[in-house]
């Protein structure tokens, strides 16, 4: 994905300049039909060029966030709708003094919105009014007062940084939890980070059917050598063998999750709270092994516990916000469609996590 601050092509630069010069002259953004005609006279398709600008945030707004935006019928620019410049567009116009002044004022505006959130500390029961008047902020910025109309036009569509009411000239923070930036570079970097989708789930290959069983056995042996007691409660053969079998459908996939979750839950770790032996393991190991890499063990335990999250949701279906996170941690798409591949991914991640746990215990032995 190209960055919002990356260099523009010649066609993108031409379209941006058409929109900007019209805006500077008339204090309004031009309609698409006007931009399209001027671009066509230069031998370019305005719709194709406008779609070519780097974009983030498609999952939140259909057109996403980019240097130049537009009003649309679905994904098609509306002929009489405005084509407008965002703060990402102002970044590419910093050779222009007015663009620099507008950016400076809008950044200051969002800084004040960020500070306004401090009212929450003094209001534990009622949500305070955190809207900020644009004019009040601009009074403190030399030379920005006459630009309030143009600033409002850009603020009205700058949804990552603010939600703005053009009638009252008031606004509050938008998609970002905070927006305390001195430069456009930092602002756009945070917008990109916040609106970009997470990295795709990590895919691990699983080619040895007995690898997970072997890893659980090595963990149990190491645990007993280091701590003098067994850890893994070995289930009956007809259940443990499930971990070495491939699956063909959802029922077999869910059965495998149940068996694996039960083995992790039944780890022989002293105590009763929490109810899962796996979740008691980190604290127990920390007490017994002062040299333990607790961060590594914590991450491993948390990953293995994601199997429980998925298993419980499969056996007792109900909406759970952490379900997508659990699938991502185990390299699974959400929802799962290919149960054979999903089971291989769960086993591969579980095998690596169990092996990491065994290595952490072995490394911390007295």
């Amino acid at each position: 994905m190209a960055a919002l601050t990356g260099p523009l092509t010649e066609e993108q630069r031409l379209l941006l300049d058409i929109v900007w010069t019209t805006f500077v002259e008339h204090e309004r953004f031009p309609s698409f039909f006007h931009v399209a005609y001027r671009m066509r006279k230069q031998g370019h398709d305005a719709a194709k060029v406008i779609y070519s600008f780097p974009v983030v945030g498609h999952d939140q707004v259909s057109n996403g966030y980019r240097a130049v935006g537009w009003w649309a019928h679905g994904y098609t620019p509306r002929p009489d709708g405005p084509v407008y410049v965002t703060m990402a567009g102002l970044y590419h116009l910093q050779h222009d003094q007015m663009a620099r002044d507008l950016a400076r004022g809008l950044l200051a505006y969002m800084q004040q919105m960020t500070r306004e959130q401090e009212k929450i500390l003094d209001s534990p029961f009622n949500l305070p009014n955190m809207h900020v008047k644009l004019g009040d902020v601009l009074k403190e910025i030399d030379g920005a007062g006459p630009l309030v109309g143009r600033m409002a036009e850009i603020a009205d569509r700058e949804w990552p940084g603010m939600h703005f009411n053009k009638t009252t000239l008031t606004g509050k923070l938008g998609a970002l939890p905070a927006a305390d930036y001195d430069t456009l570079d930092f602002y756009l970097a945070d917008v990109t980070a916040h609106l970009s989708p997470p990295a795709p789930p990590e895919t691990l290959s699983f080619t040895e059917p007995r690898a997970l069983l072997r890893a659980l056995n090595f963990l149990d042996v190491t645990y007993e050598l280091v701590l003098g007691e067994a850890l893994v409660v070995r289930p009956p053969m007809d259940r443990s063998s499930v971990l070495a079998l491939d699956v063909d459908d959802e029922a077999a996939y869910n059965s495998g999750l149940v068996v694996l979750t039960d083995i992790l839950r039944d780890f022989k770790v002293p105590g009763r709270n929490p109810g899962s032996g796996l979740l008691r393991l980190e604290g127990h190991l920390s007490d017994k092994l002062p040299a333990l890499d607790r961060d590594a063990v914590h991450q491993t335990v948390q990953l293995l516990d994601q199997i429980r999250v998925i298993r419980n949701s499969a056996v007792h279906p109900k909406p759970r916000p952490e379900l997508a996170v659990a699938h991502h941690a185990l390299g699974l798409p959400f929802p799962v469609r290919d149960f054979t591949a999903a089971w291989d991914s769960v086993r591969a991640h579980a095998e690596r996590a169990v092996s990491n746990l065994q290595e952490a215990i072995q490394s911390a032995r007295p």
Side-chain angles (χ1 to χ4, degrees):
M1 180 182 66
L4 293 173
T5 56
L8 300 182
T9 66
E10 182 180 344
E11 294 82 4
Q12 291 169 342
R13 173 66 66 182
L14 174 61
L15 189 146
L16 177 61
D17 286 343
I18 289 173
V19 176
W20 176 248
T21 55
T22 305
F23 178 66
V24 170
E25 181 178 357
H26 299 283
E27 203 170 312
R28 290 178 60 187
F29 288 115
S31 295
F32 178 76
F33 74 84
H34 176 82
V35 176
Y37 181 73
R38 292 180 61 179
M39 289 291 288
R40 188 162 63 247
K41 286 177 70 71
Q42 300 280 347
H44 303 295
D45 184 327
K48 289 183 179 179
V49 176
I50 205 171
Y51 275 110
S52 72
F53 281 93
V55 59
V56 293
H58 259 315
D59 59 325
Q60 299 189 36
V61 175
S62 60
N63 297 338
Y65 177 77
R66 59 188 85 205
V68 177
W70 67 94
W71 281 7
H73 287 308
Y75 289 96
T76 303
R78 199 173 77 184
D80 61 344
V83 179
Y84 56 87
V85 171
T86 68
M87 290 180 70
L90 294 181
Y91 174 87
H92 296 286
L93 293 163
Q94 292 182 83
H95 59 279
D96 186 289
Q97 182 62 49
M98 182 180 290
R100 293 198 298 272
D101 290 342
L102 288 173
R104 184 164 57 100
L106 289 167
L107 289 172
Y109 190 35
M110 288 188 289
Q111 287 175 338
Q112 183 57 42
M113 292 174 182
T114 301
R115 290 191 290 269
E116 201 73 6
Q117 292 184 118
E118 294 297 312
K119 288 181 177 179
I120 294 175
L121 297 176
D122 299 321
S123 183
F125 307 111
N126 297 308
L127 183 65
N129 180 5
M130 292 178 286
H131 287 79
V132 180
K133 291 184 178 180
L134 178 60
D136 290 347
V137 176
L138 298 187
K139 289 177 183 177
E140 304 175 8
I141 303 175
D142 293 339
L147 298 178
V148 63
R150 292 185 177 89
M151 215 168 283
E153 290 292 326
I154 296 175
D156 188 39
R157 297 166 178 86
E158 192 62 28
W159 58 270
M162 65 189 89
H163 292 307
F164 187 75
N165 186 321
K166 213 165 58 164
T167 302
T168 61
L169 298 184
T170 60
K172 63 179 181 178
L173 285 176
L176 299 177
D180 190 8
Y181 311 100
D182 294 318
T183 69
L184 280 174
D185 303 70
F186 290 140
Y187 169 66
L188 295 174
D190 216 9
V191 167
T192 300
H194 188 79
L195 299 183
S196 296
E202 181 182 5
T203 301
L204 298 180
S205 60
F206 191 81
T207 57
E208 170 50 62
R210 295 182 296 275
L212 179 54
L213 286 169
R214 188 179 300 118
L216 286 166
N217 185 57
F218 287 164
L219 171 63
D220 193 42
V221 170
T222 300
Y223 190 90
E224 187 166 5
L225 287 174
V226 174
L227 296 171
E229 50 194 11
L231 174 67
V232 180
V233 177
R234 303 182 185 280
M237 181 67 70
D238 62 334
R239 283 175 61 78
S240 62
S241 62
V242 170
L243 301 186
L245 300 177
D246 294 336
V247 306
D248 297 321
D249 54 29
E250 185 176 6
Y253 170 69
N254 289 336
S255 295
L257 292 176
V258 169
V259 171
L260 182 51
T261 302
D262 287 351
I263 290 173
L264 299 172
R265 180 200 63 200
D266 293 339
F267 277 175
K268 296 172 64 175
V269 180
R272 295 184 178 180
N273 188 27
S276 168
L278 171 67
L279 297 180
R280 297 195 301 271
L281 184 59
E282 179 186 343
H284 180 62
L285 290 176
S286 298
D287 291 340
K288 296 291 186 179
L289 302 172
L292 184 75
D293 184 346
R294 185 159 185 169
D295 285 341
V297 171
H298 177 77
Q299 292 176 20
T300 299
V301 167
Q302 291 302 306
L303 187 141
L304 289 171
D305 190 50
Q306 300 307 306
I307 301 170
R308 174 190 60 83
V309 175
I310 295 176
R311 177 259 190 183
N312 288 348
S313 296
V315 177
H316 309 292
K318 59 180 179 180
R320 304 185 67 187
E322 65 267 34
L323 197 54
V325 175
H327 279 73
H328 188 273
L330 295 166
L332 305 176
F334 181 67
V336 169
R337 302 297 184 197
D338 185 341
F339 296 101
T340 301
W343 179 232
D344 284 348
S345 185
V346 169
R347 289 191 293 176
H349 280 272
E351 187 270 330
R352 186 171 71 173
V354 170
S355 297
N356 290 342
L357 186 57
Q358 180 261 332
E359 291 172 5
I361 294 172
Q362 186 172 354
S363 299
R365 67 187 184 278

